[in-house]
Amino acid sequence: MRDRFTVVGRATGCHLFEGDGTRPIDEENVHVKYTPKRVQFPEEIAAWRRSIEAEEERKEASGLPHRWNNARFAVERVVVTRTHLAEEPVVSLTTRDADYFDFLTTSLNLDRRQKNGLTLREQYLEGGDPIDAPSWMNCSFGINVALETGKDGKMLFSRRSAQVAGPNSARWNSSANEGLAQQHDLPRDGSPVSLHAVARRALFEELAVHDGDQTRVELLGFGLDLVNHQWAAFFRAVVPELDEPMLRLRWTRGVIDKWEHDRFEFVDADPESVLGFIADEPEERWTPCAPALFYLALVRGAVERADGDPAGRFAVEQAEQKVMSDRGL
């Protein structure tokens, strides 16, 4: 039902729902609507959730490594329109209450047979448009950031630790990634959730990039992980005064969520180098949406170098063709 983003000859598991990297989506044109009403599972699926909760409580009581629960958001719908005159994208994200165990219930059981003989994937994702899946299937919304260092012109790739739950552990991913969480991201004053603020939180908690670093953050698009059924927002962040040595030094001094990654690679931020890194790492070592994120970031950088001309994106396509030709892809 939905096409898959393709790069260096690989069809990824990511559907690019909005954005092509040539222009950012203005922060004021992103509207996050929240209804404090909990998702409701069908009874059979609710039993799966109770089993997960009981198992994690057993592990915790035994002093074993366990997953802890926290309040999250379920996505009811994502709607994209355009402004009347400039036709700039306007995105409305409608959410409701969910938690981490809700997310695990579906994400870990997409291919588990129900009593009706169908898996969740067959019934809700392959049997119809996955964009229209019920909200209890959408208990995760991820903020994915591609970070570029301004001082030495590097793009940062982060590999998720094997300690991280879910199917994306031990795979190359965005520079920083955070799930939308009520405790951190729902303002106490009743103001709307800011996806840009979540992106900055991700940079701080996972990479020790602070507000004082004068980071420029741009929202480039939205995607849907068709393999694991997770919504994602794609951001590009540029830190003008940081480089690889400074970031690595900071990490030795402590990072809030240091455990989430076990390896980092800094690659020259030009299209040929970045796409070459993607091509040289086996396909199965990538999360479904990471290649799409980095491609959009490359396009955005190319358009900036072309003084805002969207045709700058063709420099990325030319680099991709060279990478594929050099590797016989």
Side-chain angles (χ1 to χ4, degrees):
M1 294 293 294
R2 292 282 170 171
D3 58 37
R4 295 175 176 239
F5 181 85
T6 300
V7 65
V8 294
R10 299 173 180 172
T12 70
C14 182
H15 169 67
L16 194 53
F17 185 69
E18 172 62 25
D20 65 359
T22 59
R23 61 179 178 177
I25 301 172
D26 291 340
E27 186 170 3
E28 58 267 26
N29 287 341
V30 180
H31 309 292
V32 181
K33 303 175 183 179
Y34 164 64
T35 300
K37 185 176 180 181
R38 184 168 175 74
V39 293
Q40 295 294 319
F41 287 111
E43 181 51 38
E44 181 180 1
I45 314 305
W48 297 357
R49 186 199 180 283
R50 290 192 293 270
S51 295
I52 289 174
E53 185 171 20
E55 177 63 11
E56 297 308 321
E57 288 177 351
R58 183 195 67 79
K59 291 177 182 177
E60 182 179 10
S62 301
L64 299 172
H66 62 279
R67 298 158 177 161
W68 61 92
N69 202 8
N70 66 333
R72 291 195 168 201
F73 297 89
V75 178
E76 286 197 276
R77 70 186 66 89
V78 181
V79 176
V80 178
T81 57
R82 294 289 185 265
T83 57
H84 294 296
L85 298 179
E87 296 189 0
E88 296 177 346
V90 178
V91 179
S92 294
L93 172 63
T94 305
T95 66
R96 60 191 305 173
D97 286 333
D99 61 30
Y100 186 58
F101 287 168
D102 294 335
F103 161 66
L104 292 179
T105 299
T106 54
S107 67
L108 298 181
N109 292 298
L110 285 176
D111 297 305
R112 179 176 176 178
R113 294 285 171 191
Q114 304 171 81
K115 293 177 182 177
N116 63 12
L118 298 175
T119 66
L120 296 181
R121 187 185 307 279
E122 290 168 342
Q123 182 170 353
Y124 297 103
L125 307 182
E126 297 175 348
D129 190 341
I131 297 295
D132 298 328
S135 58
W136 55 266
M137 286 284 293
N138 307 321
C139 294
S140 174
F141 188 93
I143 303 297
N144 297 266
V145 187
L147 180 70
E148 296 179 38
T149 55
K151 264 190 147 180
D152 56 357
K154 302 282 188 178
M155 187 83 79
L156 173 59
F157 294 86
S158 302
R159 191 175 70 179
R160 290 179 68 78
S161 168
Q163 300 180 51
V164 178
N168 288 332
S169 62
R171 294 188 177 190
W172 288 111
N173 196 29
S174 51
S175 311
N177 170 276
E178 278 291 344
L180 209 59
Q182 293 190 28
Q183 177 182 352
H184 301 291
D185 305 317
L186 189 62
R188 297 181 183 275
D189 62 4
S191 57
V193 172
S194 165
L195 300 188
H196 285 71
V198 183
R200 293 181 183 278
R201 177 171 71 83
L203 291 169
F204 172 66
E205 292 186 0
E206 296 188 4
L207 301 177
V209 174
H210 299 258
D211 288 340
D213 288 318
Q214 301 178 339
T215 311
R216 179 161 54 90
V217 175
E218 293 182 323
L219 174 59
L220 300 182
F222 292 83
L224 180 63
D225 177 343
L226 298 173
V227 178
N228 305 304
H229 193 65
Q230 297 179 33
W231 281 96
F234 297 140
F235 283 84
R236 175 183 181 236
V238 180
V239 280
E241 298 303 321
L242 292 183
D243 55 16
E244 177 181 355
M246 176 55 73
L247 279 172
R248 290 194 181 275
L249 177 61
R250 283 187 182 181
W251 300 339
T252 67
R253 296 170 176 171
V255 184
I256 291 178
D257 288 339
K258 190 173 185 176
W259 59 275
E260 291 199 17
H261 302 113
D262 61 14
R263 183 178 166 190
F264 297 99
E265 287 291 336
F266 287 83
V267 177
D268 289 339
D270 64 274
E272 187 175 338
S273 297
V274 170
L275 294 173
F277 181 79
I278 292 174
D280 291 340
E281 288 291 319
E283 187 173 355
E284 63 273 14
R285 293 184 187 172
W286 290 96
T287 62
C289 285
L293 164 69
F294 287 109
Y295 190 91
L296 293 186
L298 289 175
V299 169
R300 182 60 186 151
V303 169
E304 285 185 338
R305 289 189 292 274
D307 296 324
D309 186 351
R313 68 178 301 170
F314 294 122
V316 181
E317 292 187 3
Q318 291 170 353
E320 181 184 20
Q321 292 301 313
K322 186 175 187 307
V323 165
M324 294 177 66
S325 176
D326 288 349
R327 290 161 175 77
L329 299 176

